[in-house]
């Protein structure tokens, strides 16, 4: 077991990583302050793990709310339904929401917790690799809108993250690898030794070797926790965690959130960002090749679908939250481990890598 601390003064919280943590309820139950608990999960995960979680809730007044599975359900309408469930439970200000699921469940449940009575506690129990290494840590919560991904939400930090690696046993390989993309992203942004470690351990990680898996999760979470502690609300450095996301979100939105997984969009988006950096003379082309080689070995996609036109994707990129005053702000890099925020890249250069 490993613990990563997200240091935010009075709102600091632990990320526990390892096998068997869900059953270790004495550990996480201490983070629940009141009597009311709403477990938010989905129809795929709940049959597998809700009973095990419920064993730790004995004596509390709790109920559950289940979403349908998938990114298309990360909507305002479903936040309203979760709030209604909190109302039906009679949840008071000391209530706690537990998000049992992947990124969709965590983002949506966290947003509902941020809204109920203007903010109550929530605990993340991620069941996908992507949620363990990325979305459950750092307090970004929210929903998608038809015009764009994650466009409505709030920063609301969890009270704890319980990353029980045993829960990954039921995760399909495609979804597992989508989570690996967010691990590669952390290394690509600012940790060259971690990138080299991933090059050495890529096959073991793709095979889910337990020691390699726990180390990968802990290294990525530790890196992210440091960034979040320095810049919780993305006034500067935190934007780097968005490497690949301006392109990736555009691809996800163009595909109505059902064509590619978020992590797949991030993998393709990182490659496009690397190609753009090289074409602007910012970074060596060999680093793009190393990134493509690692992602390919890990079984991740590296090319965007030809179905969406470059101009449609560029239009979608214009709604990205990092943009200011109508100007595209992208996360590019100087090479592996050296990501940078860049404004004012000419449309023609962006279109060229999208074509
Ligand atoms: O935590 C962050 O900050 C990130 O950017 C992590 C991303 O991997 C994650 O997908 C996040 O939800 C994207 O945030 P957004 O602000 O681009 O919607
Ligand atoms: Zn992401």
């Amino acid at each position: 077991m490993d613990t990563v601390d997200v240091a935010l003064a009075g709102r600091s919280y632990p990320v526990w990583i390892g096998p068997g943590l869900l059953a270790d309820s004495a550990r996480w139950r201490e983070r629940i302050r009141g009597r009311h608990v709403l477990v938010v999960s989905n129809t795929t995960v709940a049959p597998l793990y809700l009973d095990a979680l419920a064993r730790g809730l004995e004596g509390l007044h709790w109920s559950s709310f289940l979403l349908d599975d998938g990114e298309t359900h990360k909507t305002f309408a479903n936040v309203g339904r979760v709030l209604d469930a909190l109302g039906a439970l009679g949840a008071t200000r000391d209530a706690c929401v537990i998000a049992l699921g992947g990124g969709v469940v965590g983002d949506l449940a966290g947003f509902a917790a941020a809204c109920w009575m203007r903010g109550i506690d929530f605990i993340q129990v991620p069941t996908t690799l992507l949620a363990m290494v990325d979305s459950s840590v750092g307090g970004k919560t929210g929903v998608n809108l038809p015009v764009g991904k994650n466009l409505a939400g709030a920063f609301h930090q969890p009270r704890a993250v319980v990353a029980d690696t045993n829960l990954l046993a039921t995760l399909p390989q495609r979804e597992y690898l989508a989570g690996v993309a967010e691990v590669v992203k952390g290394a690509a942004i600012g940790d060259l030794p971690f990138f080299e470690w991933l090059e050495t351990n890529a096959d073991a990680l793709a095979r889910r070797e337990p020691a390699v898996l726990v180390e990968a999760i802990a290294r990525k979470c530790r890196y992210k926790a440091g960034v979040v502690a320095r810049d919780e609300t993305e006034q500067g450095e935190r934007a780097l965690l968005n490497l690949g996301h301006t392109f990736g979100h555009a691809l996800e939105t163009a595909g109505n959130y059902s064509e590619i997984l978020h992590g797949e969009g991030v993998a393709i988006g990182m490659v496009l960002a690397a190609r753009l950096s090289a074409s602007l003379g910012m970074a060596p082309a060999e680093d793009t090749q190393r990134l493509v080689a690692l992602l390919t070995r890990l079984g991740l996609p590296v090319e965007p679908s030809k179905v969406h036109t470059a101009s449609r994707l560029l239009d979608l990129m214009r709604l990205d939250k990092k943009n200011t005053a109508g100007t595209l702000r992208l996360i590019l890099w100087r090479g592996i481990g050296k990501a940078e925020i860049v404004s004012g890249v000419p449309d023609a250069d962006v279109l060229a890598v999208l074509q």
Side-chain angles (χ1 to χ4, degrees):
M1 215 271 292
D2 202 341
T3 305
V4 172
D5 286 304
V6 184
L8 292 165
R11 292 173 300 114
S12 298
Y13 57 93
V15 181
W16 292 303
I17 303 154
L21 285 162
L22 188 57
D24 185 9
S25 57
R27 181 187 298 279
W28 50 262
R29 194 161 153 164
E30 281 194 354
R31 306 298 292 179
I32 300 174
R33 293 192 263 216
R35 204 173 74 84
H36 295 107
V37 173
L38 180 72
V39 180
V40 179
S41 189
N42 70 32
T43 51
T44 305
V45 171
L48 298 168
Y49 302 119
L50 183 56
D51 283 351
L53 177 66
R55 282 195 275 282
L57 298 175
E58 245 170 60
L60 296 173
H61 185 55
W62 73 274
S63 67
S64 62
F65 178 86
L66 305 189
L67 298 160
D68 287 330
D69 195 359
E71 188 77 37
T72 52
H73 302 288
K74 202 171 104 176
T75 60
F76 248 122
N78 276 330
V79 174
R81 292 184 183 105
V82 174
L83 296 176
D84 288 343
L86 282 161
L89 182 70
T92 47
R93 257 219 169 112
D94 55 357
C96 182
V97 171
I98 299 184
L100 174 69
V104 170
V105 167
D107 284 10
L108 190 143
F111 187 36
C115 296
W116 180 254
M117 295 191 178
R118 302 199 184 95
I120 59 168
D121 287 350
F122 84 114
I123 292 177
Q124 293 270 20
V125 184
T127 60
T128 65
L129 182 62
L130 187 132
M132 289 184 192
V133 300
D134 196 75
S135 57
S136 70
V137 178
K140 275 192 180 177
T141 72
V143 293
N144 302 326
L145 300 180
V147 280
K149 169 112 175 157
N150 292 350
L151 286 182
F155 286 100
H156 188 57
Q157 300 293 339
R159 290 269 302 151
V161 180
V162 183
D164 182 342
T165 48
N166 284 348
L167 308 193
L168 297 176
T170 49
L171 189 69
Q173 186 67 357
R174 181 178 171 200
E175 288 208 33
Y176 174 80
L177 294 176
V180 174
E182 292 277 17
V183 176
V184 173
K185 181 197 77 179
I189 294 166
D191 194 343
L192 176 60
F194 187 24
F195 195 93
E196 288 164 350
W197 181 88
L198 286 168
E199 289 179 314
T200 307
N201 291 285
D203 300 333
L205 185 57
R207 279 197 309 271
R208 311 184 186 199
E209 255 178 43
V212 170
L213 175 60
V214 171
E215 181 166 349
I217 299 171
R219 282 179 89 148
K220 168 64 202 298
C221 287
R222 200 157 275 128
Y223 174 74
K224 180 165 183 178
V227 175
V228 169
R230 290 189 293 275
D231 179 21
E232 182 183 2
T233 58
E234 202 171 302
Q235 304 304 306
E237 180 189 0
R238 184 167 182 171
L240 298 178
L241 297 179
N242 239 234
L243 176 67
H245 282 62
T246 314
F247 291 107
H249 282 177
L251 290 162
E252 282 185 85
T253 307
N256 294 319
Y257 307 115
S258 54
E259 225 172 72
I260 52 168
L261 299 174
H262 173 70
E264 294 171 338
V266 172
I268 298 165
M270 285 192 290
V271 171
L272 296 177
R275 283 187 187 141
L276 182 54
S277 307
S279 77
L280 294 172
M282 281 177 61
E286 302 84 73
D287 284 27
T288 308
Q289 283 152 19
R290 256 174 96 180
L291 177 66
V292 168
L294 177 60
L295 294 170
T296 307
R297 253 179 82 200
L298 288 163
L300 282 158
V302 292
E303 297 293 343
S305 144
K306 298 278 178 275
V307 171
H308 312 294
T309 63
S311 64
R312 162 93 176 117
L313 294 172
L314 181 58
D315 281 347
L316 289 169
M317 289 168 71
R318 291 190 204 289
L319 257 185
D320 187 80
K321 293 186 288 306
K322 295 184 296 305
N323 299 338
T324 47
T327 304
L328 217 53
R329 276 174 86 231
L330 296 168
I331 311 304
L332 301 181
W333 74 3
R334 298 261 164 210
I336 295 163
K338 289 180 281 186
E340 255 182 45
I341 306 168
V342 180
S343 290
V345 177
D347 285 1
D349 293 292
V350 179
L351 286 167
V353 295
L354 285 169
Q355 254 135 21

